[in-house]
Amino acid sequence: MALTGNGINELLTLEGLAGGASPLHRLHPRAKLLATAAFLVTVLSFDQFALGRLIPFIFYPAVLIPLSDTPFALICKRLVVALPFCLFIGLSNLLLERQTALMLGGFALSFGLLSCLSLLLRACLCVAAVLLLVAVTRLSELTAALRSLHVPAIFVTVLEMTYRYIGVLWGETGSMLLAYRLRGGRAKGVDLRHAGSFVGCLFLRSVDRAERVYAAMRCRGYGGGALFLQKRPFSPKDWAFCALIPALCAVLRLVDLGELLLRLLGGV
Amino acid sequence: MHMADALLSAAVGGTMCAASAAAIGYSVTRIQKDELSEKKVPIMAVAGAFVFAAQMINFTIPGTGSSGHIGGGILLAALLGGYPALLTISAVLLIQCLFFADGGLLALGCNIFNMGVIPCLVVYPLLFKPMLRRKTSLAAIGAASVLATVLGLQFGAFAVVLETQASGITELPFSAFALLMQPIHLAIGLVEGLITAAVLGFVHSMRPEIMQSAIEGSAIGGGVPLRRVLLSFGAAALIVGALLSLFASAYPDGLEWSMERLAGTTELELKGGVLEGAAGIQGATAFMPDYDFKSPEEEGSPLGTSTAGVVGGALTFALAGGTALLISAVKKKNRGAKATA
């Protein structure tokens, strides 16, 4: 039986993408992490009606996503997860705030519409930025960056191992579900009455598995820390990227690009 | 409920990241005091992966769909202990945010606080543990799990409301938003609580030592529960205080009400000194100290309140789209050239 749930496929897709070889993949993970953080903070520092000021930030995903060979379709898929609640808040703004902000032709645009659109744009930008980060960086690189940023080692280890165990436990759950289905008259899901023993059993099997894996790791010399850590220095390219993105964000935070563009066009 | 980045302002997101980082740091020091900490790491990691695996199981709950919240904070805290559970949940949330777009990266602080710190470091030690300290019968486990899960989710949902309101993103009035969120999460909490109770009951009957060692906080020498309770009280008060003081600057009227509500149920000391001290800490830890909540009128309408603004925005949009198309076209061409060469 194939594994149910498309979550594992998503993990595999991203892992495949992160193994690519675009210019972005080759950058230092810490540089990418800092650039992403700068982008997120800048985008979120605008107030809720700042639709016009947010639009220039589309350049970040618009330039970097094709550069990194990340399929645009992946972003749409991820937006499906992130959008519903944002949409709810956005629509409630649309309904509750009806004061006219500006007239465009014959149409009156309300503040609610502005905040709704800017909320959705914000959601797209943030989702795209995070996707971009994981699509060009392997988790092992990310965790190495976290270690070098002095995130507690025990937390980073838990993070790495959790990620690695997902596939293992997914298989364990798959075989349990198969057994349940075969003996339970091919029921579609697990009956709620059996939820406790099913999930509890899964947990106990997981713990047993963890103990076996841990014993095996100890036998192979594992001592709690990271065994292999490729230290790679910051290259000039990394420095450039690390400086460029936050600088551009700062400029866009201070300068209204749309207005500037208009003024330039008007001057011609 | 995972918050997305778009629902937060940078100030609230940054503050909550700092608060959650402090809670994680504190948990790490507590775990490292434990001699068995190294041995606990694989179990913590497996418990995290277990959350993902449990999401794969389709429970047939009449009338509702998914069961995405099975690996709730209380369940993990009961199985691992509060501090390890917080680390596990943080790792799970980080993976969900990075690989499944469930919750944002800057919103991670909020999500860890709402779904990790509140159940693991507040509700678990203050409600769940005391309820089971005397005896761990099946009935006691059931009552404690349902109560703790419901309460944890209620606080978590309320924190979501506070954080969204403090970010100034929504036009929903505070009370309406809260009235919407709390009942929904009451229902979710009841279902999750019952499943948690069933799972814990099963684990208890099979391997009673797992929960027992979590409750005793294994190998941290006896006689410290009071200090631990006081410490977690203090940390929670500071963190909640920092949040409330943020909230207070945005909505002075809502503060009294929300304080009464929070203080009435958790008995936290939030008046006077603590709140002022928290405000100072918040000022020092905030990502952008000078970023405060101005009304849109004060800042001047950002879209230029004119058609020109719209045209400028559309132009930028078109330019960005054009750039994206151009780059992909060039890339495709290069790839084609490489393939034929």
Side-chain angles (χ1 to χ4, degrees):
Chain A
M1 184 188 69
L3 293 179
T4 54
N6 50 11
I8 197 100
N9 296 338
E10 191 139 1
L11 276 187
L12 292 177
T13 316
L14 280 171
E15 210 159 328
L17 283 175
S22 76
L24 274 177
H25 286 82
R26 289 195 291 269
L27 286 173
H28 198 288
R30 217 183 317 162
K32 289 182 263 190
L33 201 60
L34 291 178
T36 308
F39 179 79
L40 288 179
V41 168
T42 319
V43 164
L44 298 183
S45 71
F46 286 103
D47 73 76
Q48 73 176 116
F49 303 109
L51 181 61
R53 300 296 307 278
L54 279 174
I55 290 177
F57 285 87
I58 292 178
F59 272 106
Y60 180 86
V63 169
L64 294 186
I65 284 180
L67 258 188
S68 65
D69 298 325
T70 311
F72 273 104
L74 210 58
I75 297 194
C76 305
K77 252 193 215 164
R78 289 167 69 96
L79 275 174
V80 174
V81 179
L83 267 191
F85 195 67
C86 294
L87 204 61
F88 160 71
I89 296 282
L91 288 180
S92 74
N93 284 357
L94 184 63
L95 294 177
L96 289 170
E97 180 65 78
R98 293 176 172 224
Q99 212 182 335
T100 306
L102 63 143
M103 299 292 293
L104 184 66
F107 297 99
L109 300 186
S110 68
F111 275 113
L113 184 67
L114 276 188
S115 76
C116 175
L117 290 179
S118 92
L119 189 71
L120 295 182
L121 178 60
R122 215 182 278 240
C124 297
L125 287 174
C126 294
V127 167
V130 175
L131 170 71
L132 200 59
L133 177 68
V134 286
V136 298
T137 323
R138 286 208 182 90
L139 187 79
S140 57
E141 294 176 322
L142 269 182
T143 49
L146 288 182
R147 279 208 176 87
S148 69
L149 291 170
H150 298 290
V151 175
I154 192 168
F155 176 68
V156 181
T157 312
V158 168
L159 180 67
E160 280 171 330
M161 290 176 75
T162 301
Y163 182 74
R164 280 296 147 227
Y165 274 124
I166 289 177
V168 176
L169 290 200
W170 222 297
E172 194 92 55
T173 317
S175 57
M176 278 178 71
L177 277 177
L178 178 62
Y180 183 88
R181 223 169 280 178
L182 288 176
R183 287 176 206 180
R186 297 180 182 271
K188 263 192 184 152
V190 176
D191 198 304
L192 202 57
R193 274 175 304 159
H194 309 140
S197 42
F198 194 91
V199 177
C201 196
L202 176 65
F203 179 76
L204 292 183
R205 286 172 74 145
S206 309
V207 171
D208 288 344
R209 188 113 187 203
E211 274 164 10
R212 286 204 301 278
V213 171
Y214 179 71
M217 281 163 70
R218 284 307 298 242
C219 291
R220 288 160 180 78
Y222 176 78
L227 282 179
F228 53 91
L229 205 71
Q230 274 187 332
K231 287 229 163 127
R232 59 164 284 201
F234 250 57
S235 71
K237 267 188 194 165
D238 299 328
W239 281 114
F241 184 75
C242 196
L244 186 68
I245 298 290
L248 281 180
C249 286
V251 169
L252 286 182
R253 179 71 182 91
L254 298 171
V255 179
D256 190 337
L257 188 70
E259 210 183 275
L260 201 70
L261 218 60
L262 267 190
R263 214 176 290 161
L264 279 179
L265 285 182
V268 169
Chain B
M1 125 113 257
H2 296 61
M3 286 182 89
D5 276 335
L7 295 174
L8 287 174
S9 70
V12 176
T15 311
M16 296 309 293
C17 279
S20 295
I24 290 177
Y26 177 68
S27 304
V28 166
T29 57
R30 296 298 308 220
I31 294 169
Q32 275 166 349
K33 270 187 197 159
D34 188 338
E35 282 169 15
L36 294 172
S37 68
E38 193 203 318
K39 206 181 165 183
K40 263 200 169 161
V41 167
I43 296 188
M44 283 155 68
V46 153
F50 161 78
V51 172
F52 287 98
Q55 284 177 4
M56 176 180 164
I57 305 166
N58 244 338
F59 291 113
T60 42
I61 305 169
T64 58
S66 72
S67 59
H69 287 270
I70 278 309
I74 294 295
L75 179 64
L76 289 185
L79 293 171
L80 302 171
Y83 300 112
L86 176 64
L87 292 200
T88 299
I89 287 178
S90 307
V92 168
L93 288 172
L94 185 54
I95 291 173
Q96 281 178 335
C97 140
L98 288 178
F99 295 96
F100 300 98
D102 209 359
L105 192 59
L106 199 67
L108 199 62
C110 290
N111 286 327
I112 291 178
F113 186 87
N114 303 344
M115 288 183 279
V117 175
I118 290 177
C120 300
L121 297 195
V122 182
V123 177
Y124 175 74
L126 296 183
L127 184 78
F128 190 90
K129 257 164 109 172
M131 278 180 81
L132 292 183
R133 186 155 281 151
R134 229 170 272 160
K135 67 173 175 119
T136 44
S137 68
L138 229 51
I141 290 176
S145 336
V146 173
L147 210 62
T149 309
V150 166
L151 210 64
L153 262 177
Q154 285 296 303
F155 284 140
F158 192 65
V160 170
V161 175
L162 284 179
E163 286 151 3
T164 314
Q165 291 280 344
S167 299
I169 293 293
T170 174
E171 297 290 338
L172 272 177
F174 177 74
S175 53
F177 195 11
L179 276 176
L180 208 69
M181 289 286 282
Q182 303 306 119
I184 293 176
H185 283 84
L186 183 66
I188 297 176
L190 278 174
V191 174
E192 192 185 317
L194 286 173
I195 296 180
T196 304
V199 173
L200 290 181
F202 179 82
V203 172
H204 177 69
S205 60
M206 290 308 206
R207 300 259 197 96
E209 76 281 0
I210 289 184
M211 275 176 76
Q212 207 54 47
S213 81
I215 286 175
E216 283 158 9
S218 58
I220 310 187
V224 288
L226 185 66
R227 196 168 57 107
R228 198 185 307 167
V229 167
L230 285 178
L231 275 174
S232 41
F233 246 128
L238 277 180
I239 295 166
V240 176
L243 183 71
L244 280 185
S245 65
L246 256 183
F247 177 64
S249 62
Y251 295 89
D253 298 350
L255 179 68
E256 261 187 39
W257 183 80
S258 60
M259 242 177 69
E260 185 191 331
R261 167 150 190 165
L262 266 179
T265 38
T266 61
E267 295 165 30
L268 291 178
E269 258 287 357
L270 279 175
K271 293 184 187 77
V274 175
L275 199 63
E276 278 157 31
I281 290 171
Q282 182 255 316
T285 53
F287 246 49
M288 311 181 106
D290 54 354
Y291 176 83
D292 50 15
F293 307 95
K294 281 179 196 143
S295 68
E297 289 80 15
E298 267 175 73
E299 216 167 69
S301 184
L303 203 60
T305 329
S306 65
T307 4
V310 179
V311 179
L315 265 178
T316 328
F317 196 92
L319 210 60
T323 320
L325 285 178
L326 192 71
I327 297 176
S328 6
V330 168
K331 278 230 149 192
K332 220 174 247 173
K333 213 175 170 189
N334 281 352
R335 221 172 293 147
K338 246 183 226 168
T340 50

